[in-house]
């Protein structure tokens, strides 16, 4: 030991473990720095997961690293279980990598790490304590503590073994290096503690190998093993205390707790701290109007607060505080609503709501508002105050309630309960109705009542039943007839579904009888396939109806028009036209006049977002090209004003918009990875804040231009990565991305191009719909895709098309098609999507198309069966298959057996067609970029598709068979060459 007193034991510890270049240590280190950080500075806000390993020559020569391959972490006092205070000083033996050569820094006759790390006498004059990697280069802004006397005499070692899987690092390599390290440490005769790190992400094989390593005869009984997780702060102090007791040669040794038990104890401790903190919050914060700053002043002296902040950090503390405030607010609102609900039944009674018992709640509300006494019981809240927070200023005897209360589910429930109460009061006078209902239920419950069976055949089954005996013969017959009509309609629907599920039969039939003539033998073949199915047998007593349905279906196969569609009003062609008819104008959320340019003075307010000096420098470049902040673009002068943001955008002082500055557009400027991360995080924070607004457009529709001003010090790999990430971010935000190398472009060119792009984006955003409505007929799309849906599927057409409608640049090109303007490659392209049923796709058989999107319901066998039949002769084009589900992710696959089966079969179909396969959650509108990857693939293949199209164009159109299969056209077969026209057939 360095020094020893009766008050404290002074322990100098050297932390060692696998170090070096990436080929030795893999993509990440073994956790030496995180262990030291957690031990020396254990509070949550002082713990960093990212530490230095790759340095510049300047940082390596700085006073923190001091041209040495070790870090001085400073000192800390820890108390053992027996009450002894140990004063620890800690260094970390590591190996720093030159960021220019990616090789270890060399210094004199430097020994290999496995020998160098075993040094027991360390010297480094004027070496500063290491705190975090941000300290390098700005050491004066952090605590400056020197290595005492520039010397460090090691009393003991902690050797680390990483038990997590790390890419590019083999287990054998780590075992080899660590065993060499241990061999050199043993030669020092100093105590050693062997610890496994990252046990929160441990691999069982690594754990076994670590245990086998210390069981070797040269280590057995010498190296105690401690299982540690620095991230979770489990057993960190224990490892150092055990080493200190070995150095101190105390008789009492702290018990080494296994990781699983220690982690449980740690969780229990955190849970106890959370519960204590919650009790403190509940006791002192009872008003949901309380603010974070007020709460800190009140509670920051309490031990529970201090302890909780130490464990979870200020961010975790603030999150729990916000949850508590939200709960208080919800409780206050719930209590107020409960009071209103107590008053509501009496108000409904006074306004004679029982007269509207047959109407739905929405209709009843409209009727109530027309009552002359309505405003004696209700009042309207001010527009700028949410109704849930609206409080009456009058006395406590006021019984009126906010008008918006009627829009809640609770109010609707009160109304329904009120109506039920009235109905119960009349129950005695309505017994016949109850008997009729019971008899109807009895018919539904028995399996003997089948379609077409007369009442006389099943009457004996109902003898002795009260509901049957109490009703008259006429009533019984009337109810029975009504039930028969329902089950007959259901049986017909099920039989029709059976026909749809056997689309392959009709495909084969169509292939064998191209002339359209169907013989009785063909009918017999169909019946032989169907007759064993219960849906066929259910119509045994209605054979004529069954034949009629079959013949109508055959007729539809040969004449597939929406007027003949078995789904009737649910024909997809009808639903598509209705849906698109409502989309003639841009959604109202696009019209944000607050961002529009004022055409009178052409003033442009520009937001510039950039870390540190980037935003200021870019504004300086713009102003250097302006005169009195005026700039000429396309023969038009614009007056420019600026707002520079370089801080946390979640704070009010750094918000995009202020009371006296409303931006028309913005530049997001970055030059390296750090400044790009600031841009990304800032935009994400702004997007999250938008979710609380009615407008869900990014930044309320503010045009954004991402500008990559390439730092000349970046290598080519970093430049390529930043370009890719910048373009990806721009695609997600549907904005423009510019990459500029400042050494290759003049300031004049930079300002001109960037301002032109921004002003174009502003005009494009504000005037897009008006422009395209006038030129829509003369625009030719760059690529054309057919999207086919199956009639009768129960998902919402609008939801499936929502990615198109959410797109900021879309318009209608016909009653069943839309055109999107989006980035494909380096430029904006127009993509036309023709939306049709499978059978309606036949209308587009003569047109050049570049790809197909085929959708089916994962709850309906007929849907996938018809997709398969449709795909048998589809052109060899890019295809996207969508399985429409009720839930996303793994739930869609495992939720039920039918969904599991149909998704599996859909994947098989995609493999057969060499197509893409995705699921689409029907109740969750998708992002505007959902179909973009498929459109990009179609765009990339466009040249070869169009070349093949013109090569394969048939010479005699009169010889082509235009008939379609059931619910789909018969396009050309898929084989090695492209056949693109919907009517190209062999």
């Amino acid at each position: 030991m360095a020094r020893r007193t009766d008050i404290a034991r002074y322990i100098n510890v050297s932390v060692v473990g696998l170090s070096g270049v990436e080929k030795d240590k893999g993509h990440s280190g073994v956790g030496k720095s995180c262990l030291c950080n957690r031990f020396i500075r254990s509070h949550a806000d002082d713990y960093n997961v990212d530490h230095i390993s790759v340095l510049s020559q300047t940082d390596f020569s700085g006073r923190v690293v001091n041209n040495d391959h070790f870090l001085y972490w400073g000192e800390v006092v820890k108390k053992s279980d027996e009450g002894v205070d140990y004063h620890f000083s800690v260094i970390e033996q590591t190996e720093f990598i030159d960021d220019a050569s990616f090789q270890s820094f060399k210094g004199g006759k430097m020994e290999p790490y496995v020998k160098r790390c075993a040094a027991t006498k360390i010297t480094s004059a004027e070496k500063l304590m290491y705190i975090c990697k941000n300290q390098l280069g700005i050491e004066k802004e952090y605590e400056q503590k020197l290595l005492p006397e520039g010397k460090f005499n090691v009393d003991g070692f902690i050797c680390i073994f990483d038990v997590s899987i790390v890419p590019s690092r083999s287990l054998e390599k780590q075992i080899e290096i660590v065993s060499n390290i241990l061999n050199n440490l043993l030669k020092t005769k100093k105590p050693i503690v062997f610890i496994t790190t990252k046990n929160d992400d441990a691999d069982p094989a690594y754990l076994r190998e670590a245990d086998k390593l210390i069981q070797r005869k040269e280590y057995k009984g010498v190296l105690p093993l401690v299982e540690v997780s620095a991230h979770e702060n489990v057993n960190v102090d224990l490892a150092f205390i055990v080493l200190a007791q070995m150095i101190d040669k105390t008789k009492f040794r702290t018990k080494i707790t296994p990781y699983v038990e220690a982690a449980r104890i740690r969780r229990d401790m955190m849970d106890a701290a959370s519960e204590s903190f919650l009790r403190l919050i509940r006791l002192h914060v009872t008003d949901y109007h309380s603010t974070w700053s007020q709460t800190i002043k009140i509670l920051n002296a309490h031990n529970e607060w201090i302890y909780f902040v130490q464990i979870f950090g200020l961010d975790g503390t603030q999150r729990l505080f916000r949850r508590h405030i939200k709960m208080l607010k919800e409780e206050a609102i719930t209590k107020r609503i409960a009071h209103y609900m107590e008053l509501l039944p009496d108000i409904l009674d006074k306004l004679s709501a029982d007269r509207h018992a047959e109407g739905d709640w929405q209709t009843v509300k409209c009727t109530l508002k027309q009552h002359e006494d309505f405003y004696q019981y209700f009042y309207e809240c001010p527009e700028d105050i949410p109704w849930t927070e609206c409080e009456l200023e009058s006395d406590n005897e006021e019984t009126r309630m906010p008008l918006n209360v009627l829009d809640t589910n609770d109010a609707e429930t009160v109304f329904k309960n009120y109506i039920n109460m009235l109905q119960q009061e009349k129950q005695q006078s309505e017994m016949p109705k109850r008997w009729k209902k019971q008899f109807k239920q009895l018919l539904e419950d028995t399996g003997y009542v089948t379609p077409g069976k007369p009442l006389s055949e099943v009457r004996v089954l109902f003898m002795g039943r009260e509901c049957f005996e109490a009703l008259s013969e006429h009533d019984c017959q009337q109810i029975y007839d009504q039930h028969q009509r329902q089950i007959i309609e259901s049986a017909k629907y099920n039989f029709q579904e059976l026909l749809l599920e056997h689309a392959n039969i009709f495909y084969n039939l169509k292939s064998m009888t191209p002339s359209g003539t169907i013989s009785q033998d063909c009918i017999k073949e169909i019946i032989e396939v169907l007759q064993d199915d219960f849906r066929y047998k259910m119509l045994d007593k209605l054979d004529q109806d069954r034949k009629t349905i079959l013949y109508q279906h055959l007729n539809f196969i040969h004449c597939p028009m929406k007027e003949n569609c078995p789904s009737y009003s649910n024909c997809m062609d009808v639903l598509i036209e209705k849906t698109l008819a409502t989309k003639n104008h841009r959604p109202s959320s696009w019209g944000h006049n607050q961002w529009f340019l004022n055409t009178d003075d052409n003033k442009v307010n520009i937001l510039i977002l950039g870390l540190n000096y980037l935003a200021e420098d870019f504004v300086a470049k713009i102003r250097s090209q302006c005169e009195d902040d005026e700039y000429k673009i396309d023969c038009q002068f614009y007056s420019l004003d600026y707002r520079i943001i370089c801080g946390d955008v979640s704070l009010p002082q750094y918000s995009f918009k202020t009371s006296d500055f409303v931006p028309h557009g913005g530049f997001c400027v970055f030059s390296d990875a750090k400044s790009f991360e600031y841009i990304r995080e800032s935009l994400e924070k702004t997007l999250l804040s938008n979710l609380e607004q009615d407008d869900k457009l990014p930044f309320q529709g503010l045009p954004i231009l991402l500008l990559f001003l390439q730092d000349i010090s970046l290598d080519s790999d970093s430049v390529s990565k930043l370009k890719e990430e910048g373009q990806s971010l721009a695609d997600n935000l549907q904005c423009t991305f510019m990459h500029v190398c400042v050494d290759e472009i003049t300031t004049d060119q930079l300002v001109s191009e960037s301002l032109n792009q921004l002003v174009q984006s502003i005009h494009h955003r504000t005037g897009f719909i008006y422009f395209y409505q006038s030129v829509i007929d003369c625009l030719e799309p760059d690529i054309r895709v057919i999207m086919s849906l199956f009639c009768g599927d129960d998902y919402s057409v609008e939801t499936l098309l929502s990615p198109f409608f959410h797109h900021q640049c879309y318009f209608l090109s016909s009653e069943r098609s839309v055109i999107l303007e989006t980035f494909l490659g380096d430029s904006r392209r127009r993509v036309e999507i023709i939306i049709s049923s499978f059978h309606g796709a036949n209308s587009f058989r003569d047109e050049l198309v570049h790809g197909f999107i085929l959708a089916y319901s994962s709850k309906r066998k007929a849907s996938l069966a018809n997709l398969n039949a449709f795909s048998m002769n589809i052109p060899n084009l890019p295809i996207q298959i969508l399985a429409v589900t009720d839930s996303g992710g793994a739930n869609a696959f495992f939720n039920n057996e039918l969904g599991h089966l149909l998704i599996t079969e859909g994947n098989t179909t995609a493999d057969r067609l060499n197509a893409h396969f995705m699921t689409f959650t029907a109740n969750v509108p998708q992002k505007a970029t959902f179909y973009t990857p498929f459109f990009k693939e179609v765009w990339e293949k466009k040249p070869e598709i169009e070349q093949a199209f013109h090569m394969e164009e048939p010479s005699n159109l009169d010889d082509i068979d235009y008939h379609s299969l059931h619910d789909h056209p018969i396009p050309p077969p898929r084989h090695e060459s492209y056949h693109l026209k919907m009517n190209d057939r062999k």
Side-chain angles (χ1 to χ4, degrees):
M1 290 186 297
R3 297 184 298 275
R4 183 190 295 252
T5 70
D6 294 335
I7 299 174
R9 309 289 195 270
Y10 288 83
I11 307 293
N12 290 346
V13 180
S14 176
V15 177
V16 302
L18 177 64
S19 297
V21 295
E22 185 172 317
K23 69 183 180 69
D24 292 328
K25 71 172 185 176
H27 287 348
S28 61
V30 296
K32 300 190 297 297
S33 297
C34 288
L35 177 76
C36 296
N37 187 171
R38 182 65 85 180
F39 179 68
I40 298 294
R41 288 175 279 280
S42 59
H43 293 172
D45 286 334
D46 296 330
Y47 178 67
N48 297 293
V49 298
D50 190 12
H51 292 283
I52 57 174
S53 60
V54 180
L55 304 175
S56 66
Q57 180 63 54
T58 302
D59 290 337
F60 182 73
S61 303
R63 292 183 61 194
V64 173
V65 181
N66 212 29
N67 292 303
D68 297 311
H69 284 278
F70 78 92
L71 292 174
Y72 171 54
W73 278 89
E75 303 174 354
V76 69
V77 176
K78 300 284 184 176
K79 186 183 292 291
S80 67
D81 291 344
E82 69 271 23
V84 176
D85 285 337
Y86 288 103
H87 192 114
F88 289 94
S89 294
V90 179
I91 66 169
E92 173 196 346
Q93 288 283 7
T94 184
E95 191 157 354
F96 295 110
I97 309 302
D98 190 338
D99 64 1
S101 65
F102 289 97
Q103 297 297 319
S104 299
F105 284 102
K106 304 298 181 184
K109 296 182 180 179
M110 189 175 71
E111 291 183 312
Y113 177 82
V114 295
K115 292 185 177 180
R116 187 176 71 252
C117 69
T120 58
K121 296 184 182 297
I122 312 297
T123 60
S124 184
E126 300 297 316
K127 187 178 184 71
L128 287 177
M129 175 181 67
Y130 170 71
I131 299 174
C132 63
K133 72 174 187 177
N134 293 335
Q135 170 192 14
L136 302 184
I138 51 173
E139 290 84 354
K140 292 183 179 180
E141 297 183 14
Y142 290 81
E143 178 186 0
Q144 291 186 294
K145 185 173 183 179
L146 292 170
L147 177 67
E149 301 176 2
K151 298 179 180 179
F152 191 91
N153 296 326
V154 178
D155 296 320
F157 295 91
I158 284 181
C159 183
I160 284 177
F161 187 92
D162 185 354
V163 292
S164 68
I165 297 176
V166 174
S168 300
R169 182 208 299 164
S170 68
L171 175 58
E172 294 76 13
K173 185 73 172 179
Q174 184 177 197
I175 292 173
E176 176 189 351
I177 294 177
V178 171
S179 61
N180 288 335
I181 291 173
L182 289 173
N183 292 336
N184 287 301
L185 295 182
L186 289 174
K187 296 176 182 178
T188 66
K189 307 299 184 181
K190 301 289 185 179
I192 306 166
V193 171
F194 185 79
I195 72 171
T196 56
T197 55
K198 306 182 187 178
N199 277 271
D200 54 305
D201 190 28
D203 181 84
Y206 282 57
L207 291 171
R208 289 193 296 270
E209 290 300 325
D211 188 61
K212 287 169 61 177
L213 176 62
I214 65 169
Q215 292 302 321
R216 294 180 182 178
K217 63 179 181 179
E218 62 266 34
Y219 310 138
K220 191 171 183 178
V222 178
L223 305 178
L225 171 63
V226 182
E227 298 171 328
V228 171
S229 170
H231 286 354
E232 301 297 330
N233 199 7
V234 176
N235 279 347
V236 173
D237 288 357
L238 174 64
F240 285 85
I241 292 294
V242 169
L243 178 63
Q245 291 172 341
M246 293 172 65
I247 296 170
D248 205 22
K249 298 181 180 179
T250 62
K251 294 182 179 179
F252 178 84
R253 295 292 176 89
T254 300
K255 178 184 176 184
I256 297 178
T257 308
Y259 177 79
V260 173
E261 182 181 350
R264 179 188 57 77
I265 294 172
R266 171 71 178 174
R267 287 194 299 272
D268 292 344
M269 179 269 292
M270 295 171 71
D271 292 343
S274 298
E275 185 59 36
S276 298
F277 179 75
L278 281 173
R279 284 198 297 268
L280 180 69
I281 287 285
R282 293 176 188 136
L283 179 64
H284 293 277
V285 182
T286 56
D287 184 1
Y288 67 84
H289 294 99
S290 300
T291 64
W292 171 247
S293 57
Q294 293 171 341
T295 304
I296 289 179
K297 292 177 182 178
I298 296 172
L299 301 181
N300 65 356
H302 288 73
N303 291 333
E304 296 92 333
W305 177 281
I306 296 171
Y307 188 45
F308 189 84
V309 171
Q310 289 175 354
I311 296 174
F312 295 96
L314 275 175
D315 287 344
T317 307
Q318 190 171 14
R319 282 195 299 271
L320 194 145
F321 168 78
R322 287 198 297 266
R323 285 200 299 269
H324 178 68
I325 292 298
K326 182 180 179 181
M327 182 192 69
L328 290 178
K329 187 173 183 178
E330 290 173 350
E331 288 177 351
I333 292 171
T334 301
K335 184 177 180 180
R336 189 176 299 127
I337 292 177
H339 173 66
Y340 293 151
M341 294 306 105
E342 291 177 0
L343 303 176
L344 188 56
D346 289 339
I347 296 174
L348 292 174
D349 191 56
K350 292 174 183 177
L351 298 181
S352 303
D354 58 304
R355 292 182 302 173
H356 315 292
E358 298 301 323
D360 62 275
W361 177 230
Q362 298 299 325
T363 304
V364 171
K365 283 193 297 183
C366 294
T367 307
L368 289 176
K369 292 176 183 178
Q370 297 173 1
H371 196 284
E372 59 182 6
D373 297 330
F374 179 77
Y375 286 100
Q376 293 183 17
Y377 305 100
F378 298 93
Y379 71 94
E380 296 185 8
C381 290
E383 293 183 359
D384 58 340
I385 301 178
W387 74 268
T388 52
E389 301 179 13
C390 194
E391 297 182 0
L392 295 173
E393 298 179 357
S394 53
D395 57 55
N396 294 331
E397 296 181 358
E398 176 64 73
T399 59
R400 294 195 306 165
M401 63 182 67
L403 178 60
N404 305 79
V405 166
L406 296 178
D407 296 329
T408 64
N409 293 332
D410 292 332
E412 184 174 0
T413 301
V414 169
F415 169 75
K416 291 178 179 178
N417 293 337
Y418 173 75
I419 296 303
N420 289 337
M421 179 193 69
L422 296 179
Q423 291 174 346
Q424 290 174 2
E425 293 175 354
K426 300 176 182 178
Q427 198 172 42
Q428 293 301 321
S429 61
E430 297 180 349
M431 286 301 290
K433 293 182 180 180
R434 186 161 63 93
W435 288 330
K436 290 178 180 180
K437 183 177 180 181
Q438 290 178 357
F439 182 53
K440 180 67 170 65
Q441 187 64 47
L442 179 63
L443 294 176
E444 293 175 355
D445 293 340
T446 181
Y448 294 100
V449 178
T450 56
K453 184 177 290 188
L455 177 59
S456 58
E457 291 186 18
V458 294
R459 175 183 294 276
V460 67
L461 300 174
F462 308 135
M463 302 298 291
R465 298 295 186 103
E466 180 184 9
C467 59
F468 179 72
E469 300 289 352
L471 292 173
S472 66
E473 180 71 21
H474 177 267
D475 287 341
C476 287
Q477 188 64 54
Q478 189 178 43
I479 294 172
Y480 187 83
D481 291 343
Q482 180 187 9
H483 179 68
Q484 275 291 322
R485 287 193 293 271
Q486 292 175 351
I487 62 176
I488 288 172
E489 286 301 315
S490 177
K492 289 180 178 179
Y493 171 82
N494 290 334
F495 180 63
Q496 180 69 65
E497 197 71 5
L498 175 64
L499 298 178
L500 295 174
E501 289 177 11
H502 287 78
N504 60 315
I505 301 176
F506 301 99
Y507 168 75
N508 294 331
L509 178 65
K510 179 63 180 177
S511 300
M512 293 183 294
T513 59
S515 63
T517 303
I518 301 176
S519 66
Q520 286 301 317
D521 290 337
C522 295
I523 299 295
K524 287 180 181 179
E525 290 178 8
I526 294 174
I527 292 175
E528 286 177 0
V529 176
L530 304 178
Q531 62 186 2
D532 291 333
D533 194 287
F534 80 95
R535 290 170 289 184
Y536 181 89
K537 296 177 180 179
M538 286 298 288
L539 291 175
D540 281 348
K541 288 185 175 293
L542 300 168
D543 185 57
Q544 190 58 47
D545 289 343
R546 185 165 57 195
K547 289 180 180 179
T548 301
I549 296 172
L550 177 58
Y551 295 154
Q552 288 175 342
H553 190 69
L554 290 169
N555 177 60
F556 173 68
I557 290 171
H558 287 273
C559 187
M561 299 184 298
K562 61 184 177 184
E563 292 78 9
N564 297 337
C565 180
S567 296
Y568 309 109
S569 59
N570 287 326
C571 174
M572 279 297 177
D573 288 338
V574 175
L575 297 178
I576 290 165
E577 291 175 6
K578 286 182 178 179
T579 301
L580 295 186
T582 65
K583 304 298 178 181
N584 285 334
H585 300 285
R586 189 192 305 247
S588 60
S589 60
W590 290 40
H592 284 271
N593 293 325
Q594 58 176 321
W595 308 117
F596 290 3
L597 290 180
N598 186 327
T599 55
D600 294 333
D601 57 13
N602 278 347
K603 182 177 181 180
V604 182
N605 292 336
I606 302 177
L607 179 80
I608 300 93
L609 181 68
L611 191 62
N612 298 331
Y613 61 87
L614 286 174
E616 292 87 343
D617 283 0
F618 186 63
V619 171
K621 285 182 171 63
I622 295 177
R623 284 184 161 167
S624 69
Q625 303 299 313
C626 298
E627 184 174 345
D628 297 330
D629 283 328
E630 286 192 346
Y631 194 80
K632 187 176 183 181
I633 301 175
D634 292 336
C635 302
Q636 179 71 50
F637 280 97
Y638 291 88
S639 175
L640 307 182
D641 196 5
Y642 315 93
R643 174 168 172 76
I644 297 174
I645 295 180
C646 57
D648 186 347
V649 297
S650 62
L651 301 177
Q653 63 267 35
Y654 296 117
S655 64
F656 281 13
K657 182 177 69 172
T658 66
S659 59
D660 57 354
F661 186 91
V662 178
H664 300 106
F667 289 107
C668 297
V669 189
F670 65 95
S671 63
D672 53 21
K674 183 178 181 180
S675 56
F676 176 73
E677 284 304 315
Y678 168 73
I679 294 296
R680 190 207 302 273
E681 291 176 4
S682 298
L683 296 180
E684 287 176 353
K685 287 179 182 179
T686 309
L687 281 174
L688 289 175
S689 68
N690 290 165
L691 296 179
E692 301 176 359
Q693 311 297 325
D694 292 336
D695 174 23
K696 300 300 187 294
L697 282 179
F699 326 114
Q700 297 88 36
L702 177 67
I704 292 291
L705 190 148
L706 288 182
L707 184 56
F708 176 22
L709 295 180
Q710 179 183 329
D711 191 320
I712 58 175
S713 64
L714 293 178
D715 56 51
S716 59
D717 290 342
S718 299
V719 172
S720 298
K721 182 178 179 182
L722 284 172
K723 284 175 63 179
E724 181 180 346
E725 291 181 345
Q727 186 63 62
S728 175
L729 181 60
D731 290 342
N732 290 335
L733 299 178
Q734 299 177 24
C735 66
T736 304
F737 172 71
M738 282 184 60
H739 168 227
V740 176
C741 184
V742 292
D743 282 355
E744 300 175 1
I745 190 172
T746 65
T747 300
D748 179 37
Q749 290 175 310
L750 170 63
V751 172
S752 175
E753 291 182 14
S754 57
L755 285 178
N756 269 283
Q757 285 277 8
L758 183 63
V759 171
Q760 286 179 19
S761 297
I762 296 171
H763 283 299
H764 185 80
R765 182 64 60 90
T766 58
F768 180 86
I769 189 65
Y770 309 107
F771 170 75
Y772 278 111
Q773 283 180 343
S774 63
V775 299
I776 185 171
D777 293 330
C778 63
L779 287 179
E780 183 67 24
D782 294 294
I783 59 173
R784 179 178 284 113
V785 174
I786 290 182
M787 182 177 194
S788 294
L789 319 177
F790 184 59
C791 298
D793 284 352
D794 63 353
Y795 52 78
S796 165
V797 174
E798 182 164 356
T799 301
L800 197 63
L801 304 183
S802 61
F804 307 145
F805 302 146
H806 290 167
H807 202 282
Q808 70 175 24
C809 302
Y810 89 91
F811 55 90
L812 308 182
S813 56
S814 74
E815 62 182 6
R816 278 195 285 167
S817 64
V818 298
I819 289 183
L820 310 179
E821 185 175 276
T822 188
F823 276 97
L824 300 179
D826 298 329
S827 305
R828 287 183 180 268
R829 307 292 180 185
R830 288 186 293 275
V831 181
E832 181 175 23
I833 301 97
I834 301 168
I835 310 155
S836 172
S837 66
F838 282 119
H839 66 79
N842 193 49
S843 304
F844 306 98
R845 61 184 174 228
D846 295 326
E847 299 184 20
L848 167 65
V849 294
H850 301 89
F852 287 86
I853 300 174
L854 308 179
Y856 74 95
S857 170
S858 65
K859 301 190 299 181
R860 190 180 179 202
K861 290 182 179 180
S863 186
L864 180 58
N866 281 268
L867 184 150
N868 281 325
F870 178 82
S871 68
M872 292 302 295
N873 286 316
I874 206 167
N876 190 17
L877 299 174
I879 297 174
Q880 175 70 66
I881 293 180
L882 294 181
V884 185
T885 67
D886 287 337
S887 56
N891 289 335
F893 190 70
F894 295 108
N895 216 23
N896 59 71
E897 292 184 6
L898 179 60
H900 184 170
L901 174 66
L902 293 182
I903 290 178
T904 301
E905 291 183 356
N907 263 297
T908 302
T909 297
D911 292 341
R912 172 174 60 82
L913 299 174
N914 194 25
H916 301 285
F917 180 87
M918 288 195 303
T919 59
F920 189 105
T921 307
N923 54 6
V924 179
Q926 300 294 331
K927 295 181 179 178
T929 57
F930 181 81
Y931 296 106
T932 300
F934 176 67
F935 294 152
K936 287 183 177 179
E937 180 190 353
V938 174
W939 170 251
E940 291 170 358
K941 293 184 178 180
K942 176 184 177 180
E944 56 185 291
I945 291 173
E946 294 190 351
Q947 179 183 6
F949 171 78
H950 296 297
M951 291 174 61
E952 297 290 339
E953 194 165 11
S955 59
N956 187 354
L957 297 180
D958 294 334
D959 294 336
I960 298 172
D961 181 6
Y962 292 127
H963 293 294
S964 72
L965 293 180
H966 157 67
D967 216 16
H968 64 279
I970 306 180
R974 296 176 63 84
H975 55 78
E976 293 305 317
S977 63
Y978 283 108
H979 288 260
L980 306 183
K981 284 195 173 182
M982 294 293 291
N983 60 344
D984 277 353
R985 299 186 60 198
K986 283 190 174 181

